[in-house]
């Protein structure tokens, strides 16, 4: 029970008690007053001067006496008047009022109806003395008291109702600052930050406000320190200290994680022998400066979405480019060469920069791809005029252009050839959080996953068409099956940055308020690092309609995690590169750090591609609250089949 309800209850009980006490006091006063008035009327009638009554004859005197008494008394005052002569030879006279059924209920009469009263008085007549006995009218007294009771009840009800309303509004007014303090505390608990509360006229509440504000500042400061520690730990484990790019371990983790997706893409290996020349003939400061210049030039030149850049050895830089076509890979390599060649001129060294290219194959491993890149670099050294070479042995499917993938997707949408598979996310309480939607295209005998064509759609800014089709299909599925768990839909980068897609969502979501609570959207972490404004607008739109969103590939970018505090996602899916080698102490420490940073804001942390029981147990110890992968899907399916079997 809340403090307001408790105080309101106490105040109402006190007020009700006072009203009842007041009503009972008034009732007793009215009861005594009515009885006393009735008795006084009887006494007054018997205290009159009867000497003027005619005394010629007894009967005449008796009639005159009865007439006198009935004239002095109202029928409401007496029940009977008995005039009994002392001489037994004379006849007595009894006068009664007419009686009707009492309006008071039986229970009331049983409690308050026993108010009988009678008074006797001797009067001398012509030849005899008579004894007059007058008894009160109990029925009238009961009716009169019942009427008073109803009037008192109406008055008490009106007073109590008015009292209740006044007390309610006064307490509401008095508790308004306290309610603001509660809202402030709830915001602080939910978001770990809150707007500073306004001061009130209550000194004790102002002290609480000050305490909450101080706590909010401490939490925010703690979060920022924690985010910086997580970033520092991640940089220490995975960032090259000179170039500020990812180191060899980071790049290989990203490469291994990418290869498990079985999607097309390309790699570039840049060998900068000029670095050795700088260290040998200049000094270490000049060599470090040259490495930083090369890293800066690479960052400025490589604008491909979702790319990974790392320094994998003293003189080598590697670039991972998911979903890139061969022609664009060559064009990017030429731009990289054009950006780096001016940096080699001061050193006058031949073949200062050589570039090797490789297109991934589904069957290739990380070591095989790196070997192909090494061979390509050696081949590039054979042509000093244009030191760029590509390894051989790529499958023809990787040579498909962007327009091919665009037409393939549009055709699949028109012909309803896009199929969906739902993979559940299981929380530690064994509840399904949502099901991620995986899209595939069945074309002839080939099964084409979204990883193969999403990159091309993003480059052509056509991702919104695909996302609209998926969202519409999922909304229909949720409408058709109300028992279906929430669905999580991955949004393409081009959709996130497309104002027209935002308008389409703004028109769609208001028509499905119940579906909104069962929808999740997953946004790549890169959208929160680059293109922040449009991502912010999309997140505000989703929050307006109670649609939850999450961050995919969380932790991939070497940026501060403080952006979590600005966007407040419902969950984050930790990048697979941090969850694939849990026996590595450094990697486990980084995973724990970034997960704890999200957890401190009340954000769910989800690990993907959980394939073994050992991996599941290990992740459960590292601030991970949800799991997704083959073993989870099998576990949920088994539980569902058992439930259906029992039904």
């Amino acid at each position: 029970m809340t403090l307001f309800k408790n105080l309101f209850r106490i105040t109402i009980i006190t007020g009700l008690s006072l009203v009842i006490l007041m009503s009972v006091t008034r009732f007793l006063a009215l009861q005594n007053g009515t009885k006393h008035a009735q008795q006084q009327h009887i006494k007054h009638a018997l205290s009159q001067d009867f000497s003027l009554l005619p005394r010629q004859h007894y009967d005449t005197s008796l009639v005159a006496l009865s007439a006198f008494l009935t004239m002095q008394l109202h029928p409401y005052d007496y029940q009977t008047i008995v005039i009994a002569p002392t001489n037994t030879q004379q006849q007595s006279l009894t006068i009664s009022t007419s009686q009707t059924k009492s309006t008071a209920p039986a229970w009331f009469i049983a409690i308050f109806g026993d108010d009988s009263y009678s008074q006797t008085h001797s009067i001398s007549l012509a030849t005899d003395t008579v004894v007059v006995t007058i008894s009160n009218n109990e029925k009238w007294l009961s009716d009169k008291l019942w009427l008073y009771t109803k009037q008192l009840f109406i008055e008490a009800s009106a007073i109590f109702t008015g009292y209740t309303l006044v007390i309610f509004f006064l307490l509401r007014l008095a508790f308004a600052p306290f309610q603001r303090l509660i809202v402030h505390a709830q915001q602080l608990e939910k978001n770990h930050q809150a707007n500073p509360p306004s001061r009130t006229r209550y000194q004790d509440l102002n002290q609480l406000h000050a305490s909450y504000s101080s706590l909010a500042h401490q939490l925010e400061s703690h979060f920022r320190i924690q985010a910086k520690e997580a970033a520092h730990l991640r940089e220490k484990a995975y960032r090259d200290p000179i170039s500020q790019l990812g180191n060899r371990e980071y790049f290989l983790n990203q490469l291994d994680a990418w290869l498990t997706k079985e999607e097309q893409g390309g790699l570039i290996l840049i060998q900068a022998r000029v670095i050795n020349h700088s260290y040998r003939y200049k000094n270490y400061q000049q060599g470090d400066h040259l490495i930083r210049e090369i890293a800066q030039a690479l960052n400025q030149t490589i604008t491909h979405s979702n790319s990974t850049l790392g320094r994998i050895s003293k003189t080598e830089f590697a670039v991972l480019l998911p979903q890139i076509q061969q022609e664009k890979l060559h064009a990017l390599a030429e731009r990289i060469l054009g950006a780096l060649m001016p940096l080699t001129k001061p050193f006058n060294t031949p073949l200062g920069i050589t570039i090797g290219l490789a297109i991934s194959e589904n069957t290739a491993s990380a070591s095989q791809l790196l070997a192909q890149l090494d061979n390509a670099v050696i081949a590039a050294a054979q042509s000093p005029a244009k030191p760029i070479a590509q390894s051989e042995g790529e499958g023809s499917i990787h040579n498909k252009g962007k327009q091919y993938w665009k037409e393939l997707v549009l055709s699949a949408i028109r012909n309803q050839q896009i199929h969906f598979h739902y993979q559940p996310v299981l929380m530690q309480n064994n509840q399904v959080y949502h099901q991620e939607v995986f899209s595939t295209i069945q074309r002839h005998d080939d099964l084409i996953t979204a990883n193969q064509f999403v990159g091309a759609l993003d480059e052509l800014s056509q991702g919104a068409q695909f996302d609209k089709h998926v969202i519409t299909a999922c909304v229909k599925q949720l409408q058709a099956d109300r028992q279906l768990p929430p669905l999580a839909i991955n949004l393409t980068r081009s959709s996130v940055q497309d104002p027209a897609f935002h308008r389409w969502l703004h028109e769609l979501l208001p028509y499905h308020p119940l579906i909104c609570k069962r929808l999740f959207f997953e946004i790549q972490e890169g959208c929160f690092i680059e293109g922040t404004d449009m991502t912010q607008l999309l997140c505000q739109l989703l929050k307006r309609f109670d649609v939850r969103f999450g961050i995919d590939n969380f932790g991939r970018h070497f940026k501060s995690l403080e952006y979590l505090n600005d966007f407040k996602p419902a969950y984050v899916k930790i990048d697979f590169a941090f969850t694939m080698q849990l026996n590595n102490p450094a990697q486990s420490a980084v995973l724990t750090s970034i997960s704890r940073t999200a957890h401190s804001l009340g954000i769910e942390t989800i690990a993907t591609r959980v394939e073994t029981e050992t991996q599941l147990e290990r992740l459960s110890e590292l601030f991970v609250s949800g799991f997704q992968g083959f073993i989870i899907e099998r576990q949920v399916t088994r539980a569902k089949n058992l439930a259906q079997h029992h039904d």
Side-chain angles (χ1 to χ4, degrees), residues 451-478:
N451 290 331
Q452 294 177 253
F453 56 78
V454 165
L457 294 180
D458 275 335
E459 290 186 28
L460 295 172
S461 299
Q462 297 295 317
Q465 295 189 51
F466 175 70
D467 286 342
K468 289 178 183 179
H469 176 77
V470 175
I471 293 170
T472 303
C474 289
V475 168
K476 291 180 179 178
Q477 184 70 16
L478 289 170

Side-chain angles (χ1 to χ4, degrees), residues 533-546:
D533 293 338
M534 294 303 295
T535 306
Q536 182 78 50
L537 291 175
L538 177 61
C539 294
Q540 291 174 353
L541 171 65
L542 297 179
K543 288 182 177 180
R544 188 183 313 159
F545 295 104
D546 292 329

Side-chain angles (χ1 to χ4, degrees), residues 8 77 111 180 234 236 402 411 444 542 578 588 607 616:
F8 184 68
D77 293 332
I111 298 174
R180 289 195 296 268
R234 186 175 44 167
K236 184 177 180 181
K402 294 177 289 186
S411 174
H444 306 304
L542 297 179
F578 297 109
S588 295
L616 178 61

Side-chain angles (χ1 to χ4, degrees), residues 326 357-361 372 390-399:
Q326 182 169 313
L357 311 177
I359 294 291
S360 69
E361 297 182 8
Q372 291 180 20
Q390 179 176 339
S391 64
E392 299 179 356
E394 292 75 34
S396 60
I397 188 172
H398 301 296
N399 296 323

Side-chain angles (χ1 to χ4, degrees), residues 50-58 61 123-128:
F50 297 101
S51 61
L52 298 177
L53 292 176
R55 300 178 180 275
Q56 293 83 356
H57 191 271
Y58 174 77
S61 299
I123 301 174
S124 298
L125 295 181
T127 59
D128 197 1

Side-chain angles (χ1 to χ4, degrees), residues 550-575:
I551 300 177
D552 202 9
N553 303 123
F554 175 67
R556 171 176 292 182
H557 293 78
F558 284 108
K559 298 290 184 180
S560 173
L561 302 180
E562 293 182 17
Y563 74 90
L564 290 178
N565 206 24
D566 299 326
F567 288 92
K568 292 294 191 307
Y571 64 95
V572 294
K573 286 191 174 177
I574 303 169
D575 189 64

Side-chain angles (χ1 to χ4, degrees), residues 53-70:
L53 292 176
R55 300 178 180 275
Q56 293 83 356
H57 191 271
Y58 174 77
D59 292 337
T60 304
S61 299
L62 189 64
V63 171
L65 176 61
S66 62
F68 181 80
L69 290 175
T70 54

